[in-house]
Amino acid sequence: MFGIACLILVILPILFQLIVGSKTIFFKNSTKLKFGKISLISFISQIIFSIAAIYIANYNLSKYFDEHPNSTRCGMPFFGVLMSIIFFIIVLCILILLQFFIKILKERKKS
């Protein structure tokens, strides 16, 4: 039921940072938020959405094992969700740092 919801929740803050962060860097008057606030919003939402994704994955696994009581119980899908969350947090941090360095280089060229 909630199969793809975990992936969507974890990717949303990265897409937000990519789109709105790029708008802030390249088009100054397109957003009223500053780059730091956008980065903070995306990082906090990444943590909140990751927690929600963990709860959804836990619900999916418990629902599956309730429907299939004779199947072998394995925690590897849950471990996969945790590792993907850690991977996407690292990707978000790298994206924020990359956009920050682009912003600094653009400001230096302007001066």
Side-chain angles (χ1 to χ4, degrees):
M1 183 169 150
F2 294 116
I4 194 105
C6 294
L7 181 65
I8 292 172
L9 281 176
V10 175
I11 290 179
L12 276 176
I14 295 173
L15 291 175
F16 174 78
Q17 178 67 36
L18 188 64
I19 294 168
V20 181
S22 297
K23 272 187 170 182
T24 303
I25 292 172
F26 296 112
F27 308 108
K28 291 271 185 183
N29 297 328
S30 65
T31 60
K32 293 182 180 181
L33 295 173
K34 293 186 179 182
F35 181 73
K37 287 184 181 179
I38 291 171
S39 299
L40 185 65
I41 289 170
S42 64
F43 190 74
I44 290 173
S45 64
Q46 180 73 36
I47 292 171
I48 292 170
F49 289 168
S50 296
I51 293 169
I54 289 172
Y55 281 118
I56 290 172
N58 188 20
Y59 175 77
N60 285 343
L61 284 173
S62 65
K63 194 72 157 170
Y64 176 78
F65 290 133
D66 288 343
E67 292 174 0
H68 303 90
N70 296 330
S71 64
T72 305
R73 294 187 181 253
C74 179
M76 287 307 279
F78 191 72
F79 182 71
V81 170
L82 288 176
M83 287 296 113
S84 67
I85 286 171
I86 291 170
F87 173 74
F88 284 122
I89 288 174
I90 292 170
V91 167
L92 179 67
C93 291
I94 291 171
L95 181 66
I96 290 171
L97 286 174
L98 187 67
Q99 285 181 339
F100 180 70
F101 288 135
I102 290 172
K103 180 182 175 203
I104 289 175
L105 289 174
K106 188 171 180 185
E107 288 174 356
R108 283 187 184 173
K109 278 187 176 181
K110 194 183 260 188
S111 314

